[in-house]
């Protein structure tokens, strides 16, 4: 299969690219390298350095490559950035997604997997673990822009018959997630552990997240494209998570244990809570696990062990 992956030089995208290459697919990566890294792209995989908002150039690229599957992961992912600059956030996440959808439609793709967010769309107050049936109530411009991207995806399904679906991810972590920019808390805490520092917790540490290993994301995306190619599930929205809440202080303690650190030496330092961030978040993955035929999610301890090993390997 020919697969086009936007954001394929990034943390999640490159993990998916590795999985596609491993099963023998021909892959084209589209990434502007604003946060991605050329080194993440495997040898032999074409990298087009392109901003997804360049609609004509993206359409021409897709028209040349003729992908059978399109995986859309390129995005502005930082809640803080969205709060400070909602115009930029919407430009990338809404207009960029529209550009990708149009390019996929014009190239005749048989499967389009649009990657979205779980917690930032449902907002605070939703029952936990949260199912796909809960109403959207974003607390940040980031959540709003991802919701708009989802709605445009469903419009393309209804209006144009585009074989597309949406995956809403929990808090993804794993190897290649660098502790810089909009990196997740797991990567930041692992970096502090590796360098002899202490984790910084914003708020009281009682806030919760559903931590999802990046390998599970890649499996879900592959399964989704396969089902779409078989003529199934177009227009659907699925959670991809673990169904398990972990507090940030619990996460810090677990990473400290994985790293073999003294608990007192790795005790968190606390800072004021940041605006726009949720108090609690946890996704119910049951519907997606069943519909996509996925195995149970990776246990947090196993995923953290693999992530810690990657951090140690960075030299």
């Amino acid at each position: 299969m020919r697969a086009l992956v936007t954001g394929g030089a990034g943390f999640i995208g490159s993990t998916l690219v590795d999985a596609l290459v491993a099963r023998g697919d021909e892959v084209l990566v589209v990434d502007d390298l604003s946060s991605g890294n050329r080194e993440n792209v495997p040898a032999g995989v074409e990298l087009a350095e392109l901003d997804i908002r360049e609609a004509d150039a993206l359409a021409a690229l897709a028209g040349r490559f003729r992908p059978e599957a399109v995986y859309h992961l390129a995005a502005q992912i930082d809640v803080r950035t969205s709060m400070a600059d909602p115009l930029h956030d919407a430009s990338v996440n809404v207009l960029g997604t529209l550009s990708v959808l149009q390019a996929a439609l014009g190239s005749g793709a048989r499967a389009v997997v649009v990657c979205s967010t779980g917690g930032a769309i449902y907002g605070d107050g939703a029952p936990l673990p949260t199912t796909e049936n809960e109403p959207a109530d974003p607390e940040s411009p980031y959540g709003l822009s991802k919701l708009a991207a989802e709605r445009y995806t469903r419009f393309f399904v209804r209006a144009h018959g585009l074989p597309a679906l949406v995956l809403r991810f929990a808090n993804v972590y794993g190897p290649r997630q660098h502790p810089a920019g909009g990196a997740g808390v797991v990567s930041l805490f692992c970096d502090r552990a590796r360098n002899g520092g202490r984790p910084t917790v914003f708020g009281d540490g009682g806030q919760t997240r559903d931590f999802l290993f990046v390998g599970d994301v890649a499996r879900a995306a592959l399964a989704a494209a396969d089902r779409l190619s078989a003529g199934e599930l177009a227009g659907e929205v699925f959670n991809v998570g673990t169904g398990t809440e972990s507090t940030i202080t619990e996460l810090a303690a677990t990473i400290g244990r994985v790293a073999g650190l003294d608990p007192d030496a790795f005790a968190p330092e606390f800072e004021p809570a940041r605006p726009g961030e949720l108090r609690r978040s946890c996704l119910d993955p049951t519907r997606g696990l069943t519909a996509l035929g996925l195995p149970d999610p990776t246990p947090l301890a196993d995923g953290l062990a693999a992530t810690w090993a990657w951090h140690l390997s960075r030299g």
Side-chain angles (χ1 to χ4, degrees):
M1 183 178 288
R2 289 185 306 280
L4 187 154
V5 182
T6 71
F11 152 54
I12 300 175
S14 65
T15 303
L16 172 59
V17 169
D18 284 348
L20 290 164
V21 170
R23 75 175 192 177
D25 288 6
E26 181 184 355
V27 182
L28 170 63
V29 168
V30 176
D31 201 303
D32 67 359
L33 302 181
S34 58
S35 59
N37 192 326
R38 287 181 182 274
E39 295 177 358
N40 289 340
V41 180
V45 171
E46 181 182 357
L47 168 62
E49 190 174 343
L50 181 69
D51 189 316
I52 57 171
R53 292 170 291 180
E54 297 178 41
D56 290 344
L58 183 62
L61 186 66
R64 171 182 66 79
F65 185 67
R66 305 295 293 182
E68 295 161 276
V70 174
Y71 301 87
H72 177 38
L73 292 101
Q76 192 300 111
I77 63 170
D78 194 308
V79 170
R80 290 166 295 172
T81 297
S82 79
M83 298 289 284
D85 192 352
L87 284 174
H88 171 69
D89 178 82
S91 175
V92 176
N93 291 344
V94 181
L95 297 182
T97 297
L98 267 171
S99 176
V100 172
L101 293 171
Q102 289 180 323
L105 181 65
S107 66
R110 294 190 290 113
V112 182
V113 179
V114 175
C115 299
S116 188
T117 178
I121 276 181
Y122 296 117
D124 271 323
L128 302 176
T130 308
T131 70
E132 295 89 342
N133 292 327
E134 289 302 318
D137 189 19
E139 301 278 344
S140 66
Y142 168 66
L144 286 168
S145 68
K146 296 299 280 186
L147 179 60
E150 289 189 10
R151 297 284 167 82
Y152 271 112
T153 299
R154 299 182 78 172
F155 167 77
F156 269 73
V157 173
R158 292 194 304 268
H160 303 295
L162 185 69
L165 61 72
V166 171
L167 299 180
R168 289 176 174 170
F169 297 151
N171 285 72
V172 186
Y173 72 96
R176 293 186 187 154
Q177 187 178 36
H178 282 275
V185 65
V186 170
S187 180
L188 294 168
F189 284 7
C190 284
D191 187 62
R192 290 294 180 88
R194 181 173 177 266
N195 292 296
R198 292 169 58 187
T200 299
V201 173
F202 294 91
D204 63 9
Q207 60 268 44
T208 67
R209 295 294 183 266
D210 181 352
F211 293 105
L212 175 67
F213 188 61
V214 68
D216 296 335
V217 172
R219 280 189 288 273
L222 292 177
D226 289 345
R227 292 300 176 91
L228 287 167
S229 295
E232 304 172 10
L233 304 182
E236 294 286 351
V237 176
F238 295 110
N239 288 338
V240 184
T242 72
T244 301
E245 278 186 280
S246 299
T247 70
I248 302 303
T249 51
E250 289 170 347
L251 175 70
T254 303
I255 290 175
R257 287 194 297 271
V258 169
L261 300 176
D262 179 89
D264 292 333
F266 199 62
E269 299 175 321
F270 293 91
E271 296 288 343
R274 297 184 293 200
E277 297 197 342
L278 301 179
R279 176 66 183 175
R280 297 176 66 194
S281 177
C282 181
L283 304 184
D284 185 339
T286 306
R287 186 167 167 268
L289 290 173
T290 301
L292 301 175
L294 297 171
D296 289 339
T298 302
L300 182 58
D302 294 346
L304 288 177
T307 304
W308 176 245
W310 177 81
H311 276 266
L312 290 179
S313 73
R314 292 173 57 211

